[in-house]
Amino acid sequence: MTLPTHAQIVVIGGGIIGCSTAYHLAKDHGADVVLLEQGRLTSGSTWHAAGLVGQLRSSASITKVLKYSVDLYKRLDAETGLETGWKMTGCLRLATNEDRWTEYKRLATTAGSFGMEMHLISAAEVKRMWPLMDVSDLVGASWLPTDGQASPSDITQSLAKGARMHGARIVEGVRVTGFAMDGARITGVHTTKGTIMAETVVNCAGQWARQVGNMVGINVPLQPVKHQYIITDPIAGLSPDAPTLRDPDRRTYFKEEVGGLVMGGYEPNPQPWLTDDVPDDWEFRLFGDDFDHFEQHMEQAMFRVPALADAGVKQMINGSESFTPDGNFILGRAPECENMYVGAGFNAFGIASGGGAGWVLAEWAMSGEAPLDLWAVDILRFSQMHRDRQWVCARTLEAYGKHYSIGFPHEEYTSGRPRIVSPLYARLQAQGAVFGSKLGWERPNWFAPEGVEACDIYSMGRQNWFEAVGAEHAHVRNHAGLFDQSSFAKYELSGPGATDALARLCAGHVGRPVGRVTYTQLLNTRGGIEADLTVARLAEDRFYIVTGTGFRTHDMAWIASHLPDEGCVLRDVTEDFGTLSLMGPKARDILALVTAQDVSNTAFPFGAVQELTIAGADVRALRLTYVGELGWELHVPIAAIGKVYDALMVAGAAHRLRPVGYRALESLRLEKGYRAWSSDITPNDTPMEAGLGWAVRKTNAGFIGAEALARPGPLTKRFAGFTLEDHAVVLVGRETILRNGEAVGYLTSGGYGYTIGKSVGYGYVRNSGGVSDDFLAAGSYALVVASQTYPAQIMLDAPYDPSNSRVKT
């Protein structure tokens, strides 16, 4: 086909993601679409994918995306006349130890929360379903009957035909060489066959997505990894309808194919391909067979399926797949370019994700907003540190090696650390800090008491830090704690148009007098919460914005993309300031010892921002709390944070001040009912549903999302808290909420409240007829935790709310 001169949307890449995106753009939106493929369709990594299709993930939205894929693959052949090879064989996941079995109990609960069918079955039942299997070491297995397998090339060709049927044009044998730009906006796509003008570009270039992104300065952090599997000759007794099989404790997977088996695995010592660019001519190509490296999988697989020992190997596939540093794929609009969207890095889940990912990308590219809460896979979860290819390689290989590891709660990555440290790192380490990592920053999770090893020991029950964190928690409630929160993302917005710009962006009233702080949400057009942050007014035309560490790129991009072209300037000042959060009933007494300024409640009320001098440094102090106690965030010039920390610790000794970590912060905020963005509040949730209507301004409501909030009708879901009396039950989130015995939602976060002595969780109660206070109060509640049901008490107010309201005084 001759290259067109213009298209509304150009999709780059003819694998399953690109063809699915073109199909949905053309079919659902009637868009003028051109798809460009440098070789032939499927010639990158799609053609050699193993083709297993699973659906359950830890995110409800991502599970919905994968379920959409299955629904599409079931019906696509009827539309296009091309078979997809879809077989709903179901999937068995095997457990050989109690920790894995507990993980499956939790996953079964998650599946129920997300409306998926999942069963826990015995070894004997597994043997009946898969007679060729040795089940002697099994504790049991999970069974997902709606999972299955498909032919990657057949699905892609069927999607491509569907795209053409709805008007999309597909051009093969044309390679993208660059882009015509107008500022940060693409106006045209340069190719080996000429230039095509475009309004929007969707980068689905697979292993080449990083290189395509580089052409416009976009960072797509991918690492190609060699992934091997074998295809055997036919095996006697193997049913053509045998379930796909995942044996994570032995790091292997299996599926039936033409009477034989496809078998591969995820080894702890993966082999990266390149940290440099992938060759342009890597079309339908594989690496040489590497039986030495694959032997570790063969040994494990022959134990599980003894018949493999006598089966001939028809072919070994040793191909390159794109993996990411956290094992999640990449979707969304890149922050460096106004009109390029990315769909890449599918971590060998491309076939399972393809249908849904194309649907999501099409909706996103057409509307400018994600149709669901897709934070787990949003490209905006990355930052500048992810431009370091060596770091990305090391972290990606660790993520690959953990593909089949047991998912212990709170487990941290270890590679590439420490990457970013605050000036207090050595001090905190000397005080017993056990660090976690967030967007590269080392942050103290907890402090090991004398005689306790300063490291995490993971388990499915209470972990080794439980008592130590409880002591930190109690110390903040009774005395005071000092949190190093230097990793907070911080921006300054200034200029004559800053106030009006924030009035449009923020649901809360940020036009307060100079010296006031506003807690507010930024909403999408559906009224969903895109960001949750604080805005301090430093001057008539200057604002200081603080948000969570992990949301630095996301929130900056959201704000920047909604600012007017002139009248204000947004700057990221994260590294300019360190942050010390002084929290607890003794906080004022300690602060008064280190500054000459008046910090009384009258002079420095809650929700105020003032400049204080501490240890000779000018400190930007915000009177706030995230723990339910009196507190200040002290934003200190980064070079002076050591002096300020030392001054506070010396002065605070008389009031028993001590450093405290993030795990205590989490338990403190859970007791006080404070919401956390990305778990409790997301782009799927409105402030009214989340119980944050008090933070939304009622007059002059010209902010983004206001129209959606104003639509009449009852709320069909409401945020609520739950407590359990059983001390031993561990809540981590996604546990099912039962009302009068029926599932009505699931927990978005969970933990332990040390002050109240109970497990605490939060989630949304759903009812299509409306969720009123009376509806909530009238129910009898329980939580399903790891497939067991426990009576629960619902809370419409925070479980910890001291009568003397120390937060306000």
Side-chain angles (χ1 to χ4, degrees):
M1 177 185 287
T2 303
L3 187 74
T5 59
H6 179 273
Q8 180 185 2
I9 299 181
V10 170
V11 177
I12 302 171
I16 190 168
I17 309 302
C19 288
S20 178
T21 302
Y23 167 82
H24 286 94
L25 283 166
K27 181 177 185 290
D28 297 346
H29 302 281
D32 172 26
V33 184
V34 172
L35 183 149
L36 307 177
E37 163 55 45
Q38 67 175 353
R40 287 167 288 170
L41 297 184
T42 79
S43 63
S45 57
T46 294
W47 72 276
H48 61 71
L52 282 72
V53 178
Q55 301 166 81
L56 181 62
R57 299 293 285 264
S58 60
S59 158
S61 290
I62 304 306
T63 299
K64 183 175 181 178
V65 169
L66 300 181
K67 288 173 68 176
Y68 178 93
S69 292
V70 168
D71 292 340
L72 176 63
Y73 301 161
K74 287 178 182 177
R75 58 178 167 81
L76 188 61
D77 59 345
E79 178 185 343
T80 67
L82 292 182
E83 294 291 333
T84 63
W86 167 251
K87 287 201 301 183
M88 195 171 77
T89 57
C91 178
L92 288 168
R93 288 176 170 85
L94 309 182
T96 67
N97 57 70
E98 290 301 327
D99 279 340
R100 181 73 71 181
W101 192 233
T102 300
E103 179 183 45
Y104 287 178
K105 290 177 182 177
R106 289 190 174 278
L107 283 172
T109 300
T110 299
S113 294
F114 296 170
M116 281 192 65
E117 185 180 356
M118 179 174 175
H119 308 281
L120 300 177
I121 63 176
S122 68
E125 291 173 285
V126 172
K127 184 69 173 179
R128 284 195 296 271
M129 297 172 70
W130 237 92
L132 296 181
M133 191 191 308
D134 185 328
V135 299
S136 60
D137 63 337
L138 294 190
V139 177
S142 69
W143 166 240
L144 289 93
T146 61
D147 281 358
Q149 61 190 69
S151 167
S153 293
D154 289 347
I155 289 176
T156 304
Q157 294 293 350
S158 188
L159 286 165
K161 183 176 180 182
R164 291 187 184 102
M165 288 168 59
H166 294 287
R169 291 167 287 177
I170 296 177
V171 186
E172 296 177 278
V174 58
R175 180 166 51 85
V176 172
T177 58
F179 296 91
M181 304 293 296
D182 181 5
R185 190 170 188 83
I186 296 170
T187 58
V189 182
H190 300 312
T191 79
T192 51
K193 293 186 176 180
T195 297
I196 177 171
M197 307 309 291
E199 298 169 25
T200 302
V201 174
V202 187
N203 177 1
C204 301
Q207 299 175 97
W208 294 269
R210 181 172 67 181
Q211 289 151 238
V212 171
N214 281 341
M215 295 176 185
V216 285
I218 287 170
N219 179 35
V220 186
L222 302 177
Q223 175 59 49
V225 179
K226 298 177 181 180
H227 184 75
Q228 295 187 92
Y229 63 86
I230 60 169
I231 305 170
T232 75
D233 292 330
I235 297 174
L238 180 62
S239 168
D241 296 319
T244 60
L245 181 65
R246 288 176 171 86
D247 190 3
D249 295 325
R250 294 184 179 274
R251 298 178 176 271
T252 52
Y253 60 80
F254 305 78
K255 77 162 186 173
E256 186 276 340
E257 184 168 298
V258 197
L261 279 175
V262 168
M263 185 279 289
Y266 292 85
E267 61 275 15
N269 57 334
Q271 297 177 312
W273 180 21
L274 297 162
T275 53
D276 295 326
D277 290 349
V278 176
D280 293 328
D281 62 353
W282 195 263
E283 180 182 353
F284 292 118
R285 289 175 63 181
L286 297 171
F287 305 107
D289 298 347
D290 189 347
F291 281 99
D292 289 342
H293 191 73
F294 195 71
E295 183 179 8
Q296 58 191 303
H297 295 315
M298 286 298 301
E299 291 176 353
Q300 298 293 339
M302 285 189 292
F303 172 89
R304 182 63 64 214
V305 184
L308 269 176
D310 300 317
V313 175
K314 184 188 302 182
Q315 186 180 11
M316 170 173 273
I317 303 292
N318 187 2
S320 174
E321 299 266 5
S322 289
F323 289 81
T324 64
D326 60 3
N328 285 326
F329 46 88
I330 300 173
L331 296 177
R333 180 167 53 192
E336 303 93 339
C337 180
E338 294 177 5
N339 59 336
M340 178 179 275
Y341 294 80
V342 178
F346 282 83
N347 303 275
F349 278 102
I351 308 310
S353 311
W359 161 62
V360 163
L361 276 170
E363 295 286 333
W364 210 331
M366 293 301 293
S367 71
E369 290 184 358
L372 302 168
D373 167 29
L374 296 171
W375 168 243
V377 298
D378 196 324
I379 192 171
L380 299 179
R381 70 188 188 273
F382 300 117
S383 67
Q384 286 298 314
M385 63 178 276
H386 293 93
R387 291 184 178 274
D388 182 340
R389 292 190 177 187
Q390 296 303 322
W391 187 93
V392 167
C393 180
R395 178 57 60 85
T396 301
L397 295 183
E398 183 184 4
Y400 180 106
K402 290 186 174 190
H403 187 90
Y404 278 154
S405 296
I406 294 171
F408 290 114
H410 313 294
E411 188 170 2
E412 296 273 354
Y413 285 102
T414 59
S415 58
R417 295 177 56 188
R419 176 74 183 190
I420 307 170
V421 299
S422 90
L424 303 178
Y425 181 76
R427 287 174 173 85
L428 300 174
Q429 194 173 43
Q431 291 173 299
V434 181
F435 291 92
S437 179
K438 192 81 167 183
L439 208 65
W441 284 85
E442 293 292 313
R443 313 190 312 174
N445 277 338
W446 61 284
F447 290 82
E450 188 174 348
V452 174
E453 187 178 4
C455 69
D456 288 325
I457 301 175
Y458 301 116
S459 75
M460 284 296 184
R462 299 289 181 208
Q463 298 186 0
N464 67 314
W465 44 262
F466 182 75
E467 298 297 336
V469 169
E472 294 177 33
H473 175 117
H475 203 90
V476 175
R477 287 277 181 253
N478 296 312
H479 306 287
L482 195 59
F483 301 84
D484 179 12
Q485 296 191 282
S486 298
S487 64
F488 271 159
K490 315 166 197 76
Y491 326 116
E492 286 194 5
L493 183 68
S494 58
T499 303
D500 289 342
L502 284 174
R504 181 171 179 271
L505 269 166
C506 300
H509 178 49
V510 294
R512 298 173 185 272
V514 173
R516 299 299 298 172
V517 181
T518 301
Y519 165 65
T520 186
Q521 290 79 45
L522 314 185
L523 309 183
N524 56 40
T525 57
R526 305 188 308 277
I529 300 171
E530 287 287 345
D532 180 71
L533 39 75
T534 55
V535 180
R537 191 167 196 176
L538 305 180
E540 287 296 325
D541 60 353
R542 185 168 167 235
F543 296 84
Y544 184 59
I545 302 169
V546 183
T547 190
T549 304
F551 316 134
R552 178 178 181 176
T553 308
H554 175 278
D555 291 3
M556 179 78 172
W558 183 267
I559 295 169
S561 67
H562 291 87
L563 291 178
D565 293 334
E566 297 179 352
C568 49
V569 176
L570 179 67
R571 292 192 307 123
D572 187 322
V573 295
T574 298
E575 278 77 25
D576 293 356
F577 296 91
T579 304
L580 295 171
S581 292
L582 177 64
M583 305 281 169
K586 301 296 183 181
R588 177 178 289 113
D589 298 331
I590 296 167
L591 192 59
L593 293 173
V594 296
T595 183
Q597 281 96 334
D598 185 352
V599 294
S600 66
N601 191 57
T602 302
F604 202 149
F606 184 78
V609 55
Q610 295 183 21
E611 294 288 329
L612 303 179
T613 301
I614 303 175
D618 294 330
V619 175
R620 187 174 292 170
L622 283 66
R623 172 87 187 276
L624 298 168
T625 183
Y626 195 55
V627 303
E629 303 292 345
L630 176 68
W632 280 264
E633 284 179 15
L634 305 174
H635 293 255
V636 185
I638 196 71
I641 193 170
K643 291 190 304 179
V644 172
Y645 176 85
D646 292 341
L648 286 165
M649 291 302 294
V650 169
H655 297 287
R656 301 180 62 184
L657 180 65
R658 61 162 294 176
V660 178
Y662 271 81
R663 293 208 173 120
L665 185 73
E666 174 69 2
S667 69
L668 289 159
R669 77 97 185 166
L670 283 169
E671 278 191 339
K672 195 64 180 72
Y674 293 135
R675 282 63 160 159
W677 193 84
S678 81
S679 55
D680 301 321
I681 49 178
T682 74
N684 289 348
D685 312 308
T686 71
M688 282 48 178
E689 294 167 340
L692 296 174
W694 58 268
V696 177
R697 67 183 189 266
K698 306 300 187 294
T699 57
N700 301 319
F703 57 89
I704 297 168
E707 290 184 10
L709 298 188
R711 291 180 189 131
L715 296 176
T716 57
K717 67 176 186 180
R718 290 269 301 277
F719 191 75
F722 300 88
T723 59
L724 298 177
E725 296 296 334
D726 192 325
H727 173 85
V729 178
V730 177
L731 299 180
V732 295
R734 297 178 299 283
E735 293 85 359
T736 307
I737 303 167
L738 301 179
R739 179 183 182 275
N740 299 336
E742 294 187 2
V744 292
Y746 55 90
L747 297 189
T748 52
S749 62
Y752 191 77
Y754 293 91
T755 308
I756 63 173
K758 297 178 182 179
S759 290
V760 183
Y762 294 90
Y764 290 87
V765 175
R766 291 166 167 81
N767 179 45
S768 59
V771 183
S772 63
D773 287 348
D774 289 343
F775 177 87
L776 290 171
S780 175
Y781 292 90
L783 298 179
V784 182
V785 185
S787 300
Q788 295 189 49
T789 302
Y790 299 88
Q793 296 295 317
I794 191 170
M795 309 173 298
L796 300 184
D797 296 314
Y800 174 77
D801 193 10
S803 58
N804 63 355
S805 189
R806 289 192 289 246
V807 174
K808 301 296 183 183
T809 62

